[in-house]
Each structure stands twice: as structure tokens, then as C-alpha cells.
Amino acid sequence: TRLCPTGCPPVEPGPGPGLGAGASALAHRAYPSSPPPALCPQKYSVLLVLTDGVVSDMAETRAAIVRASRLPMSIIIVGVGNADFSDMRLLDGDDGPLRCPRGVPAARDIVQFVPFRDFKDAAPSALAKCVLAEVPRQVVEYYASQGISPGAPRPCTPAPTPSPSP
């Protein structure tokens, strides 16, 4: 079995219910069988996951998140409904670093879990504030870990306007 740089076995994408299938696809994107293409140093992705709390394969999901913790990305999980979200809270990593089944810790905390039910009577801005609360820190941590400093502001160049046809 080929191990990824984290020491966790690779997770192949595949169909399936719950967050595990999404995490599997995420892991495949993070560490495909062929060498990964060079990442654009100025791109950062945020994956939004809406879930009812069901995790089809917690070990697979943890391994995928540990691998993704080395990528320029954050994962926001919003729990909907009245399910038991204890698995989502574990993935959040607020109580200590998330570890893959082999015990390798995530390089950084990239998951923010928010139960929607806590905000059903609140202003939409309260949910947005909570959902996005950790993203700025996660972005800064990623770029600092890669030794990438903020680039100089680029001038905004408007797109050329096509000439009207005669």
C-alpha cells in the first residue's frame, strides 16, 4: 500500500452516502495517483459541506482531512437537523489535533463545524460570522507554513470591450 506524505494510506474516490464519500473525493483530489500539478500559490479553496450528521466511514474521512490539511483549503461543515453531531465536532479539531487512524496529526486545523439549529432564530449574519470565523486564521497559517508572503496588490485591469460589428 502506497502511503501519502502524512503516513496515512491513500483513499480512492468512490460512491457512497454521507461525508465519507465527499472526503474520499477530496482525498483523491489532494493526492491523485499521478504527481499533483503545481498549485497556484495565490489560490485558496473553501469546501462547504451541508450534512445531516451521518458519516459513512469516519476513518476514511479523518484520513482525507489530515491529507487536506497540507493543502490551501478550509472545510466548513454545517450540520442541519437534530442529529447527533458528535462526529462533526471531532472533525472540527477544537479539542485537539485531528489524527488519521494511524495517529498522524493534521498539519493544521482546517475544519469549522457549525450546527445550523443553533442559529435558526438568529440573524443570518450571526450564522455567517460563526461559519467564517476560523477561515482568516486558516489562510494565514497555510501561507505562513509555505513561506509565502502576501503579494503586492495588483492593479485592476478592465477587460477589453469588444468593438461593435458593422
Side-chain angles (χ1 to χ4, degrees):
T1 299
R2 180 179 64 87
L3 297 179
C4 76
T6 64
C8 298
V11 179
E12 298 302 323
L19 185 60
S24 178
L26 173 68
H28 183 70
R29 179 174 172 246
Y31 290 97
S33 299
S34 59
L39 296 173
C40 175
Q42 297 300 316
K43 270 194 171 175
Y44 192 92
S45 300
V46 178
L47 174 66
L48 174 63
V49 177
L50 303 176
T51 182
D52 61 3
V54 176
V55 177
S56 61
D57 187 337
M58 190 64 170
E60 174 186 330
T61 301
R62 287 175 30 219
I65 291 172
V66 168
R67 281 190 292 279
S69 72
R70 288 160 174 73
L71 297 174
M73 72 177 304
S74 294
I75 302 172
I76 297 171
I77 304 172
V78 178
V80 294
N82 294 316
D84 174 11
F85 291 118
S86 55
D87 283 346
M88 298 303 123
R89 287 185 177 86
L90 174 72
L91 297 176
D92 193 322
D94 286 346
D95 296 329
L98 180 67
R99 295 180 180 274
C100 80
R102 292 181 184 238
V104 177
R108 58 195 180 88
D109 176 16
I110 64 168
V111 177
Q112 169 72 343
F113 169 70
V114 177
F116 181 77
R117 65 180 171 231
D118 292 356
F119 295 88
K120 66 180 181 183
D121 295 325
S125 61
L127 174 63
K129 182 178 179 180
C130 189
V131 162
L132 298 172
E134 295 182 10
V135 173
R137 176 188 49 77
Q138 293 167 349
V139 171
V140 170
E141 282 179 358
Y142 172 76
Y143 286 110
S145 74
Q146 300 300 306
I148 301 172
S149 299
R154 296 184 201 151
C156 181
T157 308
T161 307
S163 303
S165 300

